[in-house]
Amino acid sequence: MRWLGVMLAAATLAAAQDVPRPRISGVAHIAIYASDFEKSRAFYRDFLGLEEPYSLPKPDGTPAMTFFKINERQYIELFPETAPHTDRLNHISIETDNAEAMRVYLASRGVKVPNTVPKGRIGNSNFNIKDPEGHTVEIVQYEPDGWTVRERGKHLPDTRISKHMMHVGIIVTGFDAEMKFYTEVLGFREFWRGSSTGTELSWVNLKVPDGDDYIELMLFKDAPAPDRRGTAHHLCLEVSDVAASVAALDAKPYRKMYTRTIESKVGVNQKRQVNLYDPDGTRTEIMEPGTVDGKPTPSSGAAPPR
């Protein structure tokens, strides 16, 4: 009987490994809470120049959320906060070409998933899972009759600060579990590690399996307080020329309302970048795609925080 149990367990494991993983083509969006919805709305609309293709109301008519369009497949979602002085990150989202197949695949790998894949209010198939750190990760499939597809070719002004979200950053304290989840379960590919000190690892960059967008793991021994996570939980927008982008920001009427210094620098990754902060302190990193000398920046060999 013991032999039969071992054989059944082996067969179950083999069956799970045979379930194929659908494509994960990119980072679809990052969703952020705002303490003052209209103030944050103005930051993303009037300063970053992103248009809102659609918004969703609550039953009482007040805003439930709004969408800021970066390109045809990427958005920033803004939600009114549910409680003050809490984490500004609502969730991140990755795009697949088959949400139901992804649900089945994730279930085969032991990830808790819903029994079915629902359609959201804007008509796309989506469901949520949790990564080992507790972050909500939305799996989304853009449907032909969904609003995302409906609005193709619209709401893409040349005046928007960027046409591509390169990555989103999330806080990680359980390094090994998070790496296993994103690389072994979801199939992300590590391509760079960086250290701000030279002695302890600070960041790990993981590309989606079937595209170039990536997630940046922001490593901590202990997570910052919930109301101090806006620098780590962030989004990164690609620009071809940081200096030109800063000049464009300086010329916007909203610049008079933005009281922070806008300072261009070269990061540890040797890419020019500048940090902007919405009214709640959530960071938008504006970054050039290439290094200043055109050469790849070597990965750090430092150990993760312990």
Side-chain angles (χ1 to χ4, degrees):
M1 292 297 293
R2 182 180 179 184
W3 175 83
L4 179 60
V6 171
M7 291 297 291
L8 288 173
T12 300
L13 177 62
Q17 292 174 338
D18 287 341
V19 177
R21 175 187 53 74
R23 287 172 53 84
I24 299 174
S25 55
V27 173
H29 63 258
I30 184 171
I32 300 164
Y33 286 119
S35 61
D36 187 316
F37 189 77
E38 291 305 325
K39 283 186 178 179
S40 292
R41 196 176 198 174
F43 172 84
Y44 293 103
R45 181 190 62 214
D46 301 336
F47 202 31
L48 300 191
L50 303 173
E51 287 193 1
E52 299 176 61
Y54 31 76
S55 297
L56 299 177
K58 295 178 182 178
D60 64 2
T62 60
M65 62 181 296
T66 194
F67 299 74
F68 294 96
K69 187 172 182 178
I70 300 169
N71 56 49
E72 300 288 18
R73 314 200 77 82
Q74 292 184 312
Y75 291 76
I76 298 168
E77 294 182 358
L78 188 68
F79 289 76
E81 70 177 8
T82 54
H85 310 300
T86 55
D87 196 335
R88 299 293 90 185
L89 179 67
N90 181 312
H91 66 273
I92 62 173
S93 176
I94 54 178
E95 182 189 354
T96 183
D97 59 357
N98 192 324
E100 172 58 20
M102 182 64 75
R103 187 191 69 83
V104 172
Y105 165 75
L106 290 171
S108 78
R109 298 301 302 266
V111 178
K112 185 178 180 180
V113 297
N115 294 328
T116 59
V117 177
K119 277 193 175 184
R121 291 177 66 182
I122 65 169
N124 294 322
S125 296
N126 63 78
F127 65 93
N128 293 336
I129 59 174
K130 294 282 189 179
D131 72 9
E133 196 74 24
H135 301 306
T136 298
V137 180
E138 178 186 321
I139 310 296
V140 64
Q141 176 186 352
Y142 294 139
E143 296 290 357
D145 58 350
W147 295 8
T148 306
V149 172
R150 184 193 73 187
E151 298 302 310
R152 280 183 179 169
K154 306 173 186 177
H155 309 288
L156 297 171
D158 291 336
T159 52
R160 68 195 191 277
I161 193 67
S162 171
K163 299 178 181 178
H164 177 222
M165 182 161 60
M166 295 174 68
H167 72 258
V168 295
I170 55 174
I171 291 172
V172 169
T173 59
F175 178 70
D176 292 339
E178 202 79 340
M179 284 291 288
K180 183 176 182 179
F181 175 79
Y182 282 100
T183 61
E184 296 183 20
V185 177
L186 291 180
F188 281 58
R189 301 161 287 146
E190 179 184 330
F191 69 95
W192 186 74
R193 296 186 173 200
S195 171
S196 62
T197 63
T199 58
E200 186 175 81
L201 197 62
S202 303
W203 317 283
V204 176
N205 292 347
L206 304 174
K207 277 188 181 182
V208 298
D210 306 293
D212 292 324
D213 304 339
Y214 60 97
I215 291 176
E216 185 165 73
L217 306 186
M218 309 290 289
L219 307 184
F220 291 83
K221 180 180 179 182
D222 300 300
D227 60 351
R228 294 183 173 272
R229 296 179 183 175
T231 295
H233 284 156
H234 71 280
L235 62 129
C236 176
L237 299 178
E238 176 184 343
V239 299
S240 59
D241 186 327
V242 163
S245 296
V246 170
L249 291 168
D250 283 337
K252 288 178 176 284
Y254 186 96
R255 182 67 177 93
K256 296 177 181 178
M257 302 170 55
Y258 188 79
T259 58
R260 291 177 180 260
T261 301
I262 300 179
E263 180 181 3
S264 176
K265 64 178 182 178
V266 176
V268 174
N269 60 4
Q270 294 301 298
K271 296 179 180 181
R272 288 189 183 89
Q273 53 197 259
V274 66
N275 291 320
L276 305 172
Y277 298 87
D278 76 6
D280 288 302
T282 298
R283 179 165 63 104
T284 296
E285 182 179 43
I286 307 295
M287 189 164 70
E288 294 178 5
T291 58
V292 291
D293 61 4
K295 299 177 182 178
T297 304
S299 281
S300 170
R306 299 293 184 189

